[in-house]
Amino acid sequence: MTRLLLLLVCLPALAAEPLPPLRAGATGITTSGLSAGGFMAVQLHVAHSAIVAGAGVVAGGPYDCAQGSLFTALNNCMTPGPWTPVPAAAYLKSLSEGLAQSNRIDALKNLSGAPVWLFSGTQDRVVDSTVVRELQRFYELVGAKPVLVDDRPAGHGMPTETAGVACGSTEAPYLNACGVDAAGELLKHLLGPLNAPAGKLDGRLVVFDQSAFTMSGDGYVFIPRSCVNGGCRIHVAFHGCRQTGESFPREAGYNRWADTNRLIVLYPQVSASWSPFAFNPRGCWDWWGYSGAGYATRDGTQLRAVRAMLDRLASK
């Protein structure tokens, strides 16, 4: 145990390590994400609703919105128009019911009463607010309890208090300094009252090798010192397109809340790919099908990988 404490707390994060077993909670998991990561957070929530208790989504849309089509993803599910409307929440709910009946996702009844926090910036020209509102409607139809924040002048990015570019911008690193602590707001909505965030972090951001989970590249996990001996909750935070790397895990705002509230934050990462078999040049999470059929179900390649990471964190 002494060696593990030194490994996780005292040493700087330099090289990728194995994801450690931390005896974390295997249920009551929460998730969130930005843009493609927001769509991915919805997929994780719906597909694994037996263990995922709530979701926070910034600039994302309803479950299985793209239905396996890149054209639908880029048009209907991002900037819908008269000839390319966003798929109706009622229709997507019926598709989800079929997936649940065939045991490809968990039962939709698990979503009843689930807390959901949604955000759409008034200056976001990448994912239209109508898409986020359809996500709100989807969650309402399955009995969840969504709240929508859509009155802040944010561009397409993760709203933060001070980190990143100007609030109304849409540019790298897609963190928008809006005086809005989106990470803190969504965590409080999903988890209930929290201790004040840390002024100086006591825990450690660990870089881990994702190859053990059939994903390329490195992922990140923030581990508070208080979580080394087990018993902590887990939050999964998904980056957006073009956000692979350290900026999102370090600056999106989650870690300072996690540090004082016994919360492990898992930051899985997806790498850019130019392969004709998995064309993903912007490093987006798969919410339209580039990784194969079943991408939005428990059988999806990326969802299987994230579930395996959660199982590792919950193991002894």
Side-chain angles (χ1 to χ4, degrees):
M1 185 55 67
T2 300
R3 182 175 180 274
L4 183 59
L5 280 167
L6 288 172
L7 180 66
L8 297 181
V9 178
C10 299
L11 297 178
L14 296 175
E17 308 166 4
L19 185 64
L22 292 171
R23 293 181 290 166
T27 60
I29 295 162
T30 53
T31 186
S32 63
L34 164 67
S35 192
F39 281 95
M40 189 67 178
V42 173
Q43 290 177 176
L44 180 66
H45 188 199
V46 175
H48 285 291
S49 59
I51 64 168
V52 179
V57 182
V58 177
Y63 177 74
D64 205 13
C65 185
Q67 302 163 68
S69 166
L70 178 58
F71 178 87
T72 301
L74 293 175
N75 293 279
N76 308 62
C77 298
M78 293 178 67
T79 54
W83 305 109
T84 54
V86 60
Y91 172 66
L92 296 174
K93 176 178 178 285
S94 70
L95 294 182
S96 303
E97 289 171 337
L99 291 173
Q101 289 170 3
S102 61
N103 198 33
R104 299 181 68 194
I105 64 174
D106 289 350
L108 294 186
K109 66 181 181 181
N110 296 330
L111 296 168
S112 180
V116 175
W117 189 89
L118 309 176
F119 184 94
S120 177
T122 62
Q123 301 303 308
D124 191 335
R125 304 292 182 258
V126 177
V127 175
D128 193 82
S129 62
T130 58
V131 176
V132 184
R133 286 196 290 272
E134 205 63 28
L135 172 59
Q136 179 184 22
R137 179 61 178 155
F138 174 86
Y139 270 121
E140 290 170 345
L141 290 175
V142 297
K145 302 296 183 184
V147 299
L148 172 62
V149 179
D150 61 355
D151 60 351
R152 309 295 175 84
H156 190 70
M158 181 74 177
T160 72
E161 289 189 324
T162 60
V165 298
C167 185
S169 299
T170 297
E171 59 184 284
Y174 304 101
L175 301 171
N176 290 9
C178 292
V180 176
D181 184 4
E185 291 304 309
L186 72 87
L187 288 175
K188 287 186 286 186
H189 184 74
L190 301 183
L191 300 173
L194 298 176
N195 297 323
K200 181 179 180 180
L201 295 179
D202 194 37
R204 180 173 175 239
L205 187 65
V206 174
V207 185
F208 70 92
D209 181 4
Q210 294 186 140
S211 64
F213 308 99
T214 66
M215 288 189 68
S216 61
D218 295 335
Y220 296 80
V221 59
F222 181 77
I223 306 171
R225 182 188 292 266
S226 59
C227 292
V228 171
N229 293 321
C232 287
R233 294 179 288 188
I234 304 173
H235 183 84
V236 185
F238 293 103
H239 63 78
C241 300
R242 297 174 171 172
Q243 274 193 316
T244 305
E246 291 192 3
S247 292
F248 185 77
R250 291 194 182 277
E251 300 179 2
Y254 295 92
N255 300 341
R256 62 196 193 101
W257 290 95
D259 206 38
T260 54
N261 288 281
R262 290 180 52 78
L263 182 68
I264 296 165
V265 185
L266 174 66
Y267 298 97
Q269 301 250 311
V270 63
S271 301
S273 170
W274 287 264
S275 167
F277 304 104
F279 190 67
N280 179 32
R282 296 185 177 183
C284 303
W285 288 99
D286 186 11
W287 59 279
W288 66 85
Y290 71 77
S291 65
Y295 63 94
T297 73
R298 292 192 307 253
D299 295 327
T301 301
Q302 293 178 357
L303 282 178
R304 286 202 316 268
V306 173
R307 176 59 192 266
M309 294 176 193
L310 293 171
D311 290 344
R312 173 70 61 82
L313 289 173
S315 66
K316 298 180 179 180

